[in-house]
């Protein structure tokens, strides 16, 4: 504990947030995952709050323990941890175990919220808009995705970090209350609709198979499918890829390679057009 009160200013908080934002997943291992990134994000505060080397080393060990969550939404946990470390350094009844317990208790729920909102909703929506803009070969599509994604992530994580610092553990309530749960569910459904629209608009697959009946009638399989269920084959492709990735653990790289091989074989044998 410091003999004189030490407070963190906006510059210190921005340095903590920037270190986490830039390097949260830079040192990954099965043993610790994002723990070293979290510790690095705490270092500007730890150096200012603890002048005693022993206290500083203790704080570093505390924040180098196992940690894993969604980095952008998870910035709120970093802000809370910085606020609690400041209180601890100034003699308030906050111990290191309480800070660690808070991190461990929140990293799972925050990861679930972040994974459903960002990879499950935000990224598909931004990608669908970017793909539509790039359909004619325009560079506006990728530029839109890069700029909009980074603008949302940077501003959002900064706001959450500061919110966590100011409000402490109460700030989590805004992410897990009933109103926010309904909003997350609505946004997740919106992401599903967007992905369905993207699949129908940009996944193209047709078959060249033809059959001649005994009466000499030439049946085009693709025309028959379009009359019964338009865009059935693209739907089957999307559903099949989802099944193998979600239920069978197929990696995205293996999925792309598999589709490339199947497409080549289908064209070679005259199945696909």
């Amino acid at each position: 504990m410091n003999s004189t009160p030490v407070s963190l200013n906006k510059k210190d908080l921005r340095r903590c947030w920037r270190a986490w934002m830039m390097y949260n997943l830079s040192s990954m291992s099965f043993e610790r995952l994002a723990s070293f990134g979290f510790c690095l994000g705490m270092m500007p505060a730890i150096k200012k709050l603890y002048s005693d080397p022993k206290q500083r080393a203790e704080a570093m060990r505390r924040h180098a323990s196992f940690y894993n969550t969604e980095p952008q939404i998870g910035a709120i946990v970093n802000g809370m941890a910085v606020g609690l470390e400041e209180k601890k350094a100034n003699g308030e009844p906050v111990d290191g175990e309480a800070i660690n317990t808070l991190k461990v208790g929140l990293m799972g729920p925050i990861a679930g919220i972040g994974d459903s909102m960002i990879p499950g909703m935000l990224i598909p929506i931004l990608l669908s808009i970017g793909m539509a803009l790039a359909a004619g070969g325009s560079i506006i599509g990728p530029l839109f995705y890069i700029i909009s994604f980074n603008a949302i992530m940077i501003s959002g994580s900064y706001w959450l970090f500061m919110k966590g610092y100011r409000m402490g553990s109460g700030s989590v309530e805004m992410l897990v209350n009933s109103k926010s749960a309904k909003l997350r569910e609505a946004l997740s459904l919106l992401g599903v609709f967007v992905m369905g629209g993207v699949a129908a608009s940009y996944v193209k697959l047709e078959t060249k198979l033809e059959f001649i009946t005994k009466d000499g009638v030439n049946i085009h399989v693709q025309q028959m499918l379009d009359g019964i269920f338009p865009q059935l084959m693209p739907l089957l492709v999307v559903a099949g890829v989802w099944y193998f990735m979600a239920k069978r653990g197929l990696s995205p790289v293996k999925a792309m390679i598999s589709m490339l091989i199947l497409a080549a074989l289908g064209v070679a044998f005259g199945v696909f057009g």
Side-chain angles (χ1 to χ4, degrees), residues 39-254:
C39 184
L40 181 64
M42 295 295 297
M43 286 306 299
I46 291 173
K47 289 179 179 178
K48 185 171 184 178
L49 294 172
Y50 300 109
S51 56
D52 183 4
K54 290 185 179 179
Q55 291 181 324
R56 188 177 293 178
E58 178 187 348
M60 290 174 65
R61 283 194 296 268
R62 179 162 57 247
H63 295 295
S65 59
F66 177 87
Y67 185 76
N68 185 41
T69 195
E70 200 285 319
Q72 283 76 36
I73 303 296
I76 193 171
V77 182
N78 296 68
M80 293 164 56
V82 169
L84 291 174
E85 286 290 353
E86 184 179 22
K87 292 179 180 180
K88 182 179 186 302
N90 288 307
E92 296 191 32
V94 177
D95 59 23
E97 187 60 31
I99 299 174
N100 229 17
T101 300
L102 179 76
K103 288 169 52 183
V104 173
L106 289 178
M107 66 181 185
I110 295 296
I113 295 169
D115 290 342
S116 63
M117 291 183 68
I118 296 178
M121 179 271 299
L122 179 64
I123 291 178
I125 291 175
L126 295 180
L127 279 175
S128 64
I129 299 173
M131 290 167 64
L133 293 173
S138 173
I139 195 156
I140 295 177
L143 287 178
F144 166 82
Y145 177 79
I146 294 170
I147 294 172
S148 60
F149 177 80
N150 283 283
I152 294 171
M153 291 299 98
I154 292 172
S155 60
S157 68
Y158 180 79
W159 183 82
L160 286 170
F161 180 92
M162 294 300 179
K163 195 77 171 178
Y165 172 77
R166 289 192 301 268
M167 296 184 62
S169 58
S171 59
V172 181
E173 178 65 20
M174 68 179 184
L175 292 176
V176 298
N177 59 29
S178 58
K179 291 183 179 179
S180 63
K182 292 179 181 178
L183 177 61
R184 291 194 305 274
E185 184 177 355
L187 291 174
S188 297
L189 288 174
L190 176 61
V192 172
F193 283 124
V194 169
M195 288 306 297
V198 169
S201 301
Y202 296 103
V203 179
K204 303 296 183 182
L205 182 63
E206 295 182 352
T207 179
K208 295 173 64 177
L209 291 177
E210 298 179 6
F211 297 99
I212 300 177
T213 64
K214 294 180 179 179
D215 300 330
V217 178
N218 193 3
I219 298 177
H220 296 272
V221 175
Q222 186 62 50
Q223 293 179 359
M224 183 177 65
L225 291 176
D226 289 341
I228 301 172
F229 196 143
Q231 302 295 330
L232 175 61
M233 293 185 67
L235 174 62
L236 293 177
V237 170
V238 173
V241 172
W242 170 84
Y243 172 79
F244 282 105
M245 291 182 65
K247 303 298 184 180
R248 300 292 183 179
L250 187 68
S251 68
V253 174
K254 291 181 179 178

Side-chain angles (χ1 to χ4, degrees), residues 6-18:
V6 180
S7 61
L8 300 172
N9 54 36
K10 273 290 184 69
K11 183 178 180 181
D12 299 321
L13 296 176
R14 282 195 295 267
R15 290 174 63 195
C16 290
W17 163 78
R18 187 168 57 247

